[in-house]
Every structure is written in structure tokens, then in C-alpha cells.
Amino acid sequence: MPDVNQISPSLSAPTSRTFTVSFLCAHLLQSLSLLFSLNKNKSERMLSLRLSLVVSLLLPLFPLLCLGIRSFPTMVAGRDRLEMGFDGLIQFAEAPDYRNGAGCPVSSNKGSALSCDRSLVHIAMTLDSGYLRGSIAAVHSVLKHSSCPENVFFHFIAAEFDPASPRVLTRIVRSTFPSLKFKVYIFREDTVINLISSSIREALENPLNYARNYLGDILDSCVDRVIYLDSDVIVVDDIQKLWSVSLTGNRVIGAPEYCHANFTKYFTDTFWSDPVLSRVFASRNPCYFNTGVMVMDLQKWREGNFRKRIETWMELQKTKRIYDLGSLPPFLLVFAGNVEAIDHRWNQHGLGGDNVKGTCRSLHSGPVSLLHWSGKGKPWARLDAKQPCPLDRLWEPYDLYKPQNSNEKDQQWSLFSSILVGYSRDLF
């Protein structure tokens, strides 16, 4: 898989709209007209000749002044807005520069790529424009609570045809977290698009939801262990604790299990009524687990060809509908009953609310290390709509999103005009 860091950044800015000469000159003339309006009393009439002289001197320069800022980028529609970084929807404040505490290990991977450094904590996440605000908040939370934030390496998977483009997403991450160790990989949607079947929610059909199936192929082959996190999580504990979880025996993944859940509801009657298909769980005691938080042994994953095992079930789903959800059921079919059970504190999931009624949910009992807004509702959307659930306030402190003020441009022009007026007054 190609990665965006291997692509040389373009040195030329994309085409954008420019200020016209008449628009700028109108503002200049308006500012100068204000000066004339100040000379209505008798004591200031003597200044009129001097003002006229100033105007006659400045008018020939108006086109040159306008030409000087003609290429100034403005708010433009579509891809160019994102390329220029002036899109009001993608404005993030720079995160604090979190540094290692005492006793953090020093990297021993001299001269090699950081993405191959096994002394680091490796985290994989998807990166797309639709959930970018959540991803930025998740990264911020990991760094804020890590005892060794400089020892965390992020592997971001971006869709090849994301509206913002992987290159733009990379620049946004870099500007928000200047010292972050990370790498962006490009995920080709056509790898999985023909394997995706319809789901109960359109959002579950996004090809990027299936990128976790291909981490063994996408990430550098030297990466043999990774924590996978969804974009709608907040970590409120030291990520090193999750990283240190041991995967015993032949287990490939570790995740919090929920054995009290009704496991049968994740598959259709067609599946359970077929003795050959349902026999897959005959030798296992399957429990539900959420794939939004997983510790993964990529070396065992590759050796066991688990990507192909998941694809086999997805191919069957295309011809014989055996589940209604998106990317979760194939994972359950392959791994349920053979998962390293991790403490529930590492995935307090379902905070997105009830998918049907849209009602808010509360935390499960017990301690909390990670909050997960799985489900239809997302905290940033509810906060923006002024209809947050109580737990959305726990997500808010990690939000680095800074929307552009709709009046900001008018304020800038007002300031610009004031400067011109002040400068003109200094001439007299």
C-alpha cells in the first residue's frame, strides 16, 4: 500500500478565486470618502485642497495595490477549499506539546524508520474528512494521558478518494500536532468495495470501515503489534497499560468481551438455521466484542491469513445474507470465542445512544479508561446542535476544532478599512 509521506508535497497552490480590482478599490474609495465627510465644519475646509491632492496621488496606485494582493486565497467551494486549508469546517487549534515523563524508555531503533521502532506504542486509526474532528480529539486524549507521549506512534489509514485527499489530511494532522510521530497510508477502496453488502445503516457501508481487516497488509511489515482505535473514542488513561496486555496462546486479538449480550442477534435466521454455517461456533464459546478497540498481533495475523478468512465470510454474505450489520459480523465469525479478554474499562462503548430512538446512554458500572461513542450519535454533532447528551461533555475538553466565525471576514475588512483611515489621517 502506498503511503502519503512518500509523495512530495506540491509547491504550487491550487487555483483559487482572487479579489477583483474594483472590489478592493471600492473599499479604498469608501475609506477616503469617509475622510471627506469629516470636513463639513468651517474650520476644516482648508484641508479640502490637501485631501484632493492626496486622492489624486493615490488613485493611480489603486490598480497596483489591488494587483499586489490579487492572489490572496479566499473561501472557495469543493476540493480547493480543503487544499488551501481555508475551509471553515477544518480549523483546529494547535495541541499542547506533550513531553515524556521521567523514566520513559529511549528509542533503540537507531537509523531505522520510526514506524518500525518496536519500543514505541503503535496505534492504528482511520483518517477521513467526515470523522476528522473525532480523530483529532482521540489523538489529543491519548497524548494528554500518556506517561510517555513522545513514545506513541500513530498509523493513519486514509481513503484514496476522500474529499479532502490524504495529503490535505496529513497537513492538518501535522499542523495540529507538530511533534507527533505518525505516518499516513493510502487505502484503496477498490480493495474491498466489491465485498461490501448493504447494511442497516448507510454509514456502515463506508469502505474505510473495513480498513482494519487489512492492517497486516497496509502497515509496514516490520510492525508486528498495534492497537486499533475507532475515531469516536476518548482515552482517559495511560495507553501504555493497554499496550502491555499479553495475547496468550494462539490468540491474535485482545478486546473487552461482553458475554451477557445476545450473541444470536448479530446473525440472521438464515445463518442459524443452516447447520453447516452455525457449526462454526460448535467448538467455541462465542461472546460479543466491539471491534473499535483491539490489541492486534499482526505477525500472527499475517501468518494465519486472517484477512482472507474474513473476506471468505464477506463473499458468502453477498450470495446468502447471513448478517445485517457492517464490518463487525465477519470479525465475530472468525474470532468470537478466541479473544484475549481485556478489562471492560478499555471500551465503555455505546455512548452514541440508541440507534432507533436516539436516546442518551449512561456509563457501564465500574472504572473507565476509554469512552467510545459507538452508535449513530456523535458528540461533536450533538454539541454543535446544542442537544448534547450528558456524557458528551466528557468528550468536549479534547475537542480542538475551531470553527471560523461567519462574521470574521467582515471584521477583517472593517479592520482593514480602519487602518486605511488611520493611515490617511496621518498624512494630514
Side-chain angles (χ1 to χ4, degrees):
M1 290 287 179
D3 77 86
V4 77
N5 288 340
Q6 295 174 346
I7 305 174
S8 300
S10 173
L11 297 179
S12 59
T15 303
S16 63
R17 291 185 303 165
T18 59
F19 292 125
T20 62
V21 171
S22 60
F23 182 71
L24 180 58
C25 291
H27 276 276
L28 294 174
L29 286 172
Q30 184 179 13
S31 299
L32 289 173
S33 297
L34 179 61
L35 292 176
F36 282 104
S37 68
L38 298 174
N39 295 283
K40 293 181 179 180
N41 58 63
K42 186 176 181 179
S43 63
E44 292 181 338
R45 287 176 183 174
M46 294 301 294
L47 294 176
S48 60
L49 290 176
R50 297 170 66 184
L51 288 171
S52 299
L53 177 61
V54 170
V55 172
S56 63
L57 291 173
L58 289 177
L59 279 174
L61 298 177
F62 282 175
L64 295 176
L65 290 172
C66 296
L67 182 62
I69 61 171
R70 188 172 180 274
S71 60
F72 218 74
T74 63
M75 294 288 287
V76 294
R79 193 181 186 89
D80 287 345
R81 275 171 67 182
L82 296 167
E83 290 287 350
M84 291 303 297
F86 282 89
D87 185 12
L89 297 178
I90 303 184
Q91 300 279 338
F92 294 96
E94 183 177 316
D97 192 13
Y98 297 105
R99 293 297 182 181
N100 282 354
C104 291
V106 179
S107 173
S108 59
N109 204 48
K110 304 297 183 182
S112 300
L114 276 175
S115 60
C116 295
D117 191 341
R118 296 184 180 182
S119 68
L120 303 180
V121 174
H122 293 266
I123 299 176
M125 297 178 65
T126 57
L127 194 66
D128 67 310
S129 54
Y131 282 76
L132 182 60
R133 189 170 169 184
S135 299
I136 294 294
V139 174
H140 185 201
S141 71
V142 170
L143 298 177
K144 182 178 179 63
H145 294 283
S146 175
S147 58
C148 302
E150 295 178 82
N151 288 24
V152 181
F153 191 99
F154 283 88
H155 303 264
F156 294 114
I157 317 300
E160 183 178 14
F161 299 112
D162 189 286
S165 88
R167 191 189 306 280
V168 171
L169 294 173
T170 301
R171 290 206 295 264
I172 293 171
V173 172
R174 175 59 66 206
S175 64
T176 308
F177 305 101
S179 60
L180 185 70
K181 296 180 175 67
F182 75 95
K183 186 173 183 178
V184 176
Y185 307 79
I186 299 176
F187 178 63
R188 295 181 54 185
E189 289 98 323
D190 58 7
T191 302
V192 72
I193 192 70
N194 293 327
L195 293 172
I196 299 175
S197 58
S198 60
S199 183
I200 59 173
R201 290 208 333 261
E202 185 178 353
L204 298 177
E205 300 171 21
N206 186 338
L208 205 56
N209 289 341
Y210 296 82
R212 72 196 82 183
N213 302 358
Y214 299 89
L215 291 179
D217 303 288
I218 298 174
L219 271 57
D220 296 327
S221 59
C222 57
V223 181
D224 55 14
R225 181 183 174 90
V226 72
I227 296 173
Y228 175 81
L229 297 178
D230 271 352
S231 297
D232 51 3
V233 307
I234 289 296
V235 178
V236 293
D237 203 345
D238 191 350
I239 196 68
Q240 180 66 45
K241 297 177 182 178
L242 182 59
W243 179 252
S244 62
V245 168
S246 298
L247 302 181
T248 60
N250 64 345
R251 293 187 174 92
V252 180
I253 65 173
E257 288 187 306
Y258 302 88
C259 296
H260 62 278
N262 183 2
F263 190 79
T264 61
K265 72 176 183 179
Y266 295 100
F267 303 95
T268 63
D269 292 338
T270 300
F271 173 84
W272 292 114
S273 62
D274 189 319
V276 176
L277 295 179
S278 59
R279 193 171 59 194
V280 68
F281 295 119
S283 60
R284 296 187 260 162
N285 183 24
C287 294
Y288 162 77
F289 65 92
N290 183 282
T291 54
V293 180
M294 296 185 292
V295 178
M296 307 176 69
D297 187 324
L298 293 184
Q299 183 175 344
K300 292 179 182 177
W301 179 283
R302 298 179 183 112
E303 292 172 352
N305 199 12
F306 284 96
R307 184 206 73 184
K308 182 58 180 176
R309 296 190 194 187
I310 291 175
E311 287 181 338
T312 298
W313 286 109
M314 294 176 67
E315 290 168 354
L316 177 62
Q317 165 75 353
K318 296 288 289 185
T319 59
K320 190 174 185 177
R321 193 170 182 83
I322 58 177
Y323 54 82
D324 293 322
L325 293 174
S327 59
L328 171 63
F331 252 88
L332 296 178
L333 286 163
V334 174
F335 293 108
N338 193 26
V339 173
E340 188 73 40
I342 296 176
D343 194 295
H344 288 176
R345 69 188 304 157
W346 285 104
N347 195 352
Q348 288 269 352
H349 68 286
L351 305 185
D354 185 278
N355 289 333
V356 178
K357 299 179 181 179
T359 55
C360 298
R361 289 183 175 176
S362 57
L363 290 174
H364 313 300
S365 59
V368 179
S369 292
L370 183 147
L371 299 99
H372 186 184
W373 278 262
S374 58
K376 187 176 182 179
K378 302 305 173 188
W380 54 88
R382 293 194 294 229
L383 286 165
D384 287 351
K386 310 299 183 185
Q387 296 177 332
C389 288
L391 292 178
D392 294 344
R393 297 299 182 186
L394 299 178
W395 180 90
E396 194 172 17
Y398 304 96
D399 186 18
L400 294 173
Y401 173 62
K402 298 296 180 184
Q404 183 176 12
N405 191 325
S406 59
N407 296 322
E408 185 175 301
K409 291 181 67 180
D410 293 337
Q411 293 171 356
Q412 289 174 345
W413 276 116
S414 177
L415 176 63
F416 182 58
S417 299
S418 299
I419 292 173
L420 284 174
V421 170
Y423 179 72
S424 300
R425 284 174 178 169
D426 289 341
L427 293 177
F428 312 119

